[in-house]
């Protein structure tokens, strides 16, 4: 009788493999986001043990069956970023060797995303991490606000780069009473695009801080500036001189745009080293801004960042919970958190049910 069961029911059983959500963190504060997502989806977190052995090796033991299931591995970056990556890779590989149907990584903040350009004799570390994740068996990645959108191209699996800006915009509209008198500020010309996208949505003006007071890393330390030891004209024709690129001169700090008597909202994607934000806040105060907010998606806030924020001219720092920062909040009450577990859980639900993701990307332009 079972053999003659209608094919539809067999097929349904096959596709409805079920959903398993794991958090690959051995650190308790990092599991918070996973718990929130599981709660919103109405499922229990999968049973798994992730721990460091005495010799600092990472061990992962999955304690339930994942055969034929859609597995979602949620990994938030803790202080020890390299351990975080190893936990993720080992967890994904364990799911793959346990015959999971699909393995989706949910990394709200993609580690090493700042190292996505070739510099001197360095390397593009983002590409290495992407290759390692694909090699471990990841079949899909969900992330938020990549430092550069082109990082998606480092993977040979689908990547969903969700945006946190709707949540931050909502915060501005609901929590900053006179936001109509605000101006969106880019602390450097590189983040001007992001500022423009915020300003256009809130129908506000934009200001850009240009120039630098502090010394950027000097190029002189690199050997490329040393003159050749022997004048060799073997390859180059004597009359052919390679034109020299004139070295950059950073002008003194100027603010392009008016911030006098306004609320200044500095927007960026990552806030880690707060020196540049503090310097920007000082500059804006001098130019007459009466309140200064900083908005960023990822609040890494490493080492002494909370103390510097507390002592600075910044009135409030608003970040999302892509990275756990409970300790930093205890040190600095100016830090506020926006919860983005809603969009991640919706992405997981849509992927699991095979629905379209475009709803989560509505009104998002090329530059956002």
């Amino acid at each position: 009788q079972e053999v003659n069961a209608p094919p539809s029911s067999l097929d349904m059983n096959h596709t409805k493999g079920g959903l398993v959500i794991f958090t690959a963190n051995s650190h308790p504060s990092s599991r918070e986001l996973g718990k929130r997502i599981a709660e919103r989806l109405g499922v229990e977190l999968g049973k798994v043990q992730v721990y460091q052995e005495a010799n600092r090796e990472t061990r992962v033991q999955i304690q339930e069956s994942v055969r034929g299931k859609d597995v979602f591995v949620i990994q938030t970056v803790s202080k020890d970023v390299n351990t975080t990556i190893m936990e993720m890779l080992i967890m994904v590989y364990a799911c793959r060797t346990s015959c999971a149907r699909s393995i989706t990584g949910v990394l709200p903040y993609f580690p090493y995303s700042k190292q996505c350009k070739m510099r001197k004799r360095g390397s593009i570390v983002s590409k290495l991490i992407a290759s390692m994740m694909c090699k471990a068996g990841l079949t899909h990645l969900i992330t938020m606000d990549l430092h550069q959108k082109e990082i998606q191209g480092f993977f040979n699996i689908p990547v969903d780069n969700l945006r946190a800006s709707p949540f931050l915009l909502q915060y501005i509209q609901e929590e900053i009473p006179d936001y109509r008198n605000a101006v969106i500020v880019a602390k450097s010309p590189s983040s001007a695009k992001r500022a423009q996208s915020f300003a256009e949505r809130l129908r506000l003006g934009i200001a850009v801080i240009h120039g630098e007071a502090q010394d950027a890393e000097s190029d002189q330390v690199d050997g490329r500036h040393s003159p050749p030891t022997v004048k060799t004209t073997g390859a180059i024709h004597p009359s052919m001189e390679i034109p020299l690129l004139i070295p950059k001169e950073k002008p003194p700090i100027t603010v392009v745009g008016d911030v006098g008597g306004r609320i200044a909202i500095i927007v960026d994607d990552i806030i880690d080293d707060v020196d540049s934000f503090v310097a920007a806040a000082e500059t804006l105060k001098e130019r007459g801004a009466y309140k200064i907010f900083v908005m960023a998606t990822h609040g890494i806030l490493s080492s002494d960042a909370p103390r510097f924020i507390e002592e600075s001219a910044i009135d409030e720092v608003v970040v999302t919970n892509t990275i756990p920062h409970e300790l930093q909040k205890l040190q600095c009450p100016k830090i506020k958190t926006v919860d983005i577990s809603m969009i991640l859980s919706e992405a997981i639900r849509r992927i699991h049910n095979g629905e379209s993701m475009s709803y989560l990307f509505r009104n998002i332009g090329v530059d956002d």
Side-chain angles (χ1 to χ4, degrees):
Q1 194 182 356
E2 277 185 9
V3 176
N4 299 331
S8 60
S9 67
L10 283 174
D11 291 347
M12 205 184 89
N13 267 349
H14 177 65
T15 51
K16 275 266 177 281
L19 166 86
V20 185
I21 294 180
F22 289 124
T23 57
N25 277 99
S26 53
H27 205 275
S29 71
S30 305
R31 293 199 203 108
E32 200 51 47
L33 188 65
K35 282 187 192 137
R36 283 182 182 221
I37 291 172
E39 219 167 89
R40 282 183 187 275
L41 290 166
V43 296
E44 290 280 309
L45 273 180
K47 294 181 188 65
V48 65
Q49 263 194 323
V50 183
Y51 57 94
Q52 257 75 49
E53 290 190 2
N55 62 357
R56 306 285 298 135
E57 279 183 13
T58 300
R59 193 174 280 269
V60 172
Q61 285 174 334
I62 295 170
Q63 294 169 323
E64 61 179 86
S65 169
V66 295
R67 184 179 293 273
K69 303 263 178 79
D70 285 335
V71 176
F72 291 84
V73 180
I74 298 166
Q75 181 68 314
T76 49
V77 175
S78 61
K79 278 226 180 326
D80 189 353
V81 62
N82 297 326
T83 303
T84 301
I85 292 167
M86 275 317 286
E87 285 171 350
M88 173 83 184
L89 294 173
I90 295 170
M91 171 75 109
V92 168
Y93 191 59
C95 292
R96 178 183 165 191
T97 47
S98 305
C99 302
R101 191 167 68 117
S102 70
I103 306 160
T104 305
V106 182
L107 281 107
Y109 169 67
F110 186 70
Y112 284 95
S113 62
K114 276 192 164 178
Q115 297 191 44
C116 58
K117 288 192 171 80
M118 194 67 174
R119 294 199 50 166
K120 305 257 172 78
R121 300 189 185 89
S123 64
I124 304 175
V125 187
S126 299
K127 169 65 183 162
L128 173 68
I129 303 290
S131 306
M132 281 156 65
M133 285 181 179
C134 294
K135 196 77 186 142
L138 210 61
T139 59
H140 195 137
L141 181 75
I142 302 173
T143 182
M144 287 202 91
D145 282 329
L146 284 169
H147 186 54
Q148 297 284 339
K149 285 185 268 320
E150 292 78 10
I151 294 175
Q152 293 176 81
F154 293 162
F155 291 85
N156 43 20
I157 54 171
V159 177
D160 285 310
N161 179 25
L162 302 171
R163 305 297 196 280
S165 46
F167 294 91
L168 295 174
L169 291 167
Q170 185 184 15
Y171 184 93
I172 292 172
Q173 288 170 320
E174 290 175 2
E175 303 294 326
I176 303 178
D178 38 2
Y179 82 92
R180 290 254 169 259
N181 184 34
V183 59
I184 305 291
V185 181
K187 72 172 171 64
S188 65
S190 58
S191 53
K193 259 187 181 169
R194 190 176 174 83
Q196 185 191 0
S197 129
F198 268 69
E200 284 172 1
R201 285 184 164 75
L202 292 166
R203 319 279 189 272
L204 297 175
I206 177 179
V208 180
I209 298 176
H210 174 50
E212 257 174 62
Q214 74 267 31
D215 219 27
E217 299 143 46
S218 160
D219 283 344
Q220 299 302 324
V221 291
D222 189 304
R224 294 176 199 198
H225 284 274
S226 51
T229 43
V230 194
K231 211 110 173 106
T232 49
T233 46
I236 298 178
H237 194 267
S239 66
M240 227 175 85
E241 268 291 306
I242 296 172
L244 258 181
L245 193 63
I246 302 158
K248 282 183 185 174
E249 265 298 311
K250 282 266 165 72
I253 287 183
T254 48
V255 178
V256 185
D258 182 29
V259 293
R262 301 281 194 85
I263 298 171
I265 302 173
I266 304 172
V267 296
D268 214 332
D269 60 336
I270 298 170
I271 174 163
D272 178 10
D273 191 23
V274 291
D275 296 348
S276 54
F277 289 93
V278 170
E282 290 295 325
T283 307
L284 294 167
K285 265 272 190 287
E286 284 164 22
R287 301 287 195 289
Y290 71 91
K291 212 162 185 200
I292 295 164
F293 289 83
V294 174
M295 296 262 166
T297 305
H298 308 294
I300 302 176
L301 302 164
S302 41
S303 60
D304 275 340
R307 189 167 56 81
F308 289 141
I309 293 168
E310 194 55 43
E311 293 165 2
S312 73
I314 299 168
D315 292 289
E316 202 168 284
V317 173
V318 183
V319 290
T320 68
N321 56 348
T322 50
I323 297 171
H325 49 264
E326 294 310 311
L327 280 173
Q328 287 92 322
K329 279 180 84 170
L330 294 174
Q331 294 171 352
C332 172
K334 287 182 182 178
I335 300 169
K336 303 279 186 281
T337 312
V338 175
D339 181 27
I340 43 89
S341 60
M342 184 199 299
I343 195 166
L344 292 171
S345 54
E346 181 59 14
I348 291 174
R349 193 190 65 75
R350 283 172 179 268
I351 289 169
H352 176 58
N353 294 337
E355 295 173 26
S356 163
M357 293 286 281
S358 60
Y359 176 74
L360 302 179
F361 291 102
R362 63 199 188 286
N363 297 336
I364 285 175
V366 184
D367 293 336
D368 299 337

